[in-house]
Amino acid sequence: MASDNATDLKDEISELAPFDPTKKKKKKKPVAQDHVEEVEKLVETTENLSVEDAGESVFSGMKKKKKKQVELDIEENEEGDAGEDNDDGKLGEDEQGEGIIFGGEQLPWEGTDRDYKYEELLDRVFNTLRENNPLLAGDRRRTVMRPPQVLREGTKKTVFANFMDSCKTMHRQPEHVMTFLLAEMGTTGSLDGQQRLVVKGRFAPKNFEGILKRYINEYVICNGCKSADTILSKENRLFFLRCEQCGSSRSVAPIKAGFVARVGRRKAGV
Amino acid sequence: MSDLDTQIPSTFDPFAEASADNAGAVSKEYVHIRVQQRNGRKSLTTVQGLKKEYSKTKILKDLKKEFCCNGTVVEDPELGQVIQLQGDQRKNVSTFLVQAGILKKEQIKIHGF
Ligand SMILES: [Zn+2]
């Protein structure tokens, strides 16, 4: 039964398109387009076949098998191609994959015969996780600090306008942050009426940002889990940083201004 | 292994401060390189915490020659001798000290912006 069909079909196909014999020749030339056309032709032929068959209601039982057989033939051909010439194979596959199966979200490896890559599989897992259970997806809520807004006051002073804001996001005492900033910049400064930090000297926002980053690394971030959810406390003259997330604790160095060279007028003092 | 050995004492030594205060010695673990702004665009670099064994004046001489800048050695009652250089020479100084074999990179702490 099946073999009968196959022979029938082969005859029909060979009438419509000289598929097998020419192909081998053509492959030597770089004519992917031709091949696609061929495949299309073949698809057309199969469609034609099925339409024709549909007309003859008598063979409705056989018709389905026939069609399947044709498709199988195509696939076999494609596989053969893929073995020999990858590009051709892919084109054919794409052509097949287009209208037939996929409606929804397509995975990168779907419709191709290659294996998925690790990254792609990982993406898939996280996409699913995000859809179904966003909390577990590991999108750690990162504390985002607003970049320092820095103004110039006169020519010799710089104002760190959102200083209090930064302290609040870091959950640190303004005095502590200020001491560190001033010690690192080797200058003096104070809070003004609007709780802005005014420092002597000219500094760019980048400067403040760099120092704040170092402050965060030393006095905010937990070494164990990198969480910023920490508490800085003073216990008998020593500062300890305790992590609220993992409970680890470490001591941190006290802020020391160190040596400050005397700049400015010489006559004043010493 | 040797890395570990050098790092353990440098993490934090609760007695470092006290002993430094008492003896008037330099805090042992780090050499601090800082920058300070002066008037206008001018700035100056300070190197604090070099060991007593090293002659600051000799180092200063080489630094001055190397970076083409002026400088001086300041005597600080608590921190010992401190090298001052004109301009922001932090990078220069740290590479110089490492290349001269006076310090390891882990012993240098660069401050400032
Ligand atoms: Zn932690």
Side-chain angles (χ1 to χ4, degrees):
Chain A
M1 190 52 188
S3 62
D4 278 356
N5 277 335
T7 49
D8 276 354
L9 276 171
K10 253 179 197 163
D11 287 343
E12 276 170 351
I13 288 171
S14 60
E15 268 179 34
L16 287 160
F19 200 58
D20 267 323
T22 47
K23 225 181 177 186
K24 287 248 159 85
K25 267 185 201 165
K26 269 190 182 165
K27 209 164 280 148
K28 300 234 155 86
K29 302 171 212 159
V31 276
Q33 200 55 44
D34 274 13
H35 180 59
V36 171
E37 274 170 24
E38 259 172 41
V39 172
E40 272 172 354
K41 244 189 229 165
L42 201 75
V43 171
E44 265 174 40
T45 58
T46 54
E47 274 169 8
N48 284 343
L49 272 179
S50 61
V51 170
E52 273 172 12
D53 284 353
E56 303 163 4
S57 58
V58 189
F59 297 108
S60 58
M62 284 174 63
K63 162 190 70 189
K64 265 190 185 162
K65 273 178 192 167
K66 257 191 187 174
K67 205 195 167 192
K68 262 210 179 125
Q69 200 63 45
V70 172
E71 275 176 358
L72 267 180
D73 267 5
I74 297 170
E75 266 168 14
E76 270 168 24
N77 278 330
E78 294 309 328
E79 272 171 19
D81 285 350
E84 285 168 29
D85 191 335
N86 233 345
D87 279 355
D88 274 14
K90 242 185 197 166
L91 268 173
E93 294 277 339
D94 284 348
E95 206 62 29
Q96 269 192 329
E98 235 177 357
I100 301 177
I101 318 162
F102 315 105
E105 194 179 326
Q106 193 168 345
L107 297 163
W109 64 86
E110 233 168 314
T112 63
D113 56 354
R114 70 183 172 90
D115 269 346
Y116 36 75
K117 285 181 197 134
Y118 172 75
E119 284 79 15
E120 292 167 351
L121 210 58
L122 200 64
D123 278 348
R124 179 173 171 271
V125 166
F126 271 93
N127 282 336
T128 323
L129 203 59
R130 247 175 237 127
E131 274 167 28
N132 302 332
N133 214 340
L135 278 181
L136 293 178
D139 293 326
R140 213 183 282 171
R141 55 195 172 86
R142 305 179 52 174
T143 22
V144 181
M145 288 241 316
R146 266 199 251 127
Q149 290 160 353
V150 172
L151 316 164
R152 176 73 47 76
E153 191 175 281
T155 51
K156 290 186 175 172
K157 283 182 181 173
T158 310
V159 181
F160 184 175
N162 58 346
F163 171 69
M164 276 298 174
D165 232 34
S166 303
C167 294
K168 266 177 200 145
T169 40
M170 294 188 297
H171 302 290
R172 286 293 172 272
Q173 295 293 317
E175 291 76 29
H176 192 257
V177 183
M178 186 172 92
T179 321
F180 184 80
L181 281 173
L182 295 179
E184 282 299 300
M185 297 194 285
T187 184
T188 52
S190 58
L191 290 177
D192 71 356
Q194 302 157 49
Q195 301 287 74
R196 304 180 305 175
L197 180 66
V198 184
V199 297
K200 207 174 147 213
R202 300 204 278 190
F203 299 96
K206 266 263 169 64
N207 302 149
F208 285 98
E209 210 178 308
I211 299 174
L212 279 178
K213 259 181 204 159
R214 242 180 298 154
Y215 179 85
I216 289 167
N217 277 338
E218 275 183 56
Y219 295 101
V220 181
I221 293 238
C222 164
N223 269 2
C225 64
K226 305 289 173 213
S227 161
D229 190 5
T230 55
I231 292 175
L232 188 69
S233 59
K234 195 174 184 179
E235 290 164 32
N236 16 296
R237 289 175 55 215
L238 301 175
F239 278 105
F240 283 95
L241 190 70
R242 206 181 68 244
C243 176
E244 291 286 273
Q245 291 293 324
C246 69
S248 84
S249 176
R250 68 171 163 123
S251 60
V252 292
I255 299 169
K256 275 190 282 187
F259 178 76
V260 181
R262 221 168 43 80
V263 292
R265 276 169 293 154
R266 302 243 162 153
K267 280 173 199 164
V270 184
Chain B
M1 216 30 215
S2 60
D3 261 323
L4 203 69
D5 286 342
T6 53
Q7 269 173 9
I8 287 169
S10 71
T11 45
F12 181 69
D13 178 8
F15 303 107
E17 198 183 13
S19 60
D21 284 346
N22 292 341
V26 188
S27 64
K28 277 157 207 155
E29 61 261 46
Y30 284 116
V31 167
H32 299 270
I33 302 176
R34 295 189 174 83
V35 71
Q36 257 177 275
Q37 282 193 348
R38 287 174 58 221
N39 38 10
R41 294 167 30 82
K42 297 191 177 79
S43 52
L44 90 174
T45 308
T46 63
V47 184
Q48 168 211 322
L50 283 169
K51 276 189 188 154
K52 275 188 185 137
E53 294 89 84
Y54 294 113
S55 158
K56 312 290 183 302
T57 43
K58 274 186 184 160
I59 293 175
L60 174 70
K61 210 173 178 183
D62 286 349
L63 290 174
K64 280 162 75 169
K65 199 160 194 179
E66 191 79 13
F67 313 140
C68 302
C69 64
N70 207 348
T72 180
V73 174
V74 178
E75 198 79 40
D76 188 276
E78 275 181 27
L79 305 164
Q81 289 183 311
V82 177
I83 297 176
Q84 282 185 23
L85 293 166
Q86 285 181 359
D88 183 1
Q89 314 281 1
R90 286 175 294 165
K91 280 269 153 58
N92 290 338
V93 171
S94 76
T95 46
F96 178 91
L97 291 176
V98 171
Q99 272 173 7
I102 297 172
L103 290 167
K104 286 187 197 121
K105 214 172 185 184
E106 305 86 61
Q107 295 173 282
I108 299 176
K109 205 164 201 175
I110 297 180
H111 298 261
F113 29 87

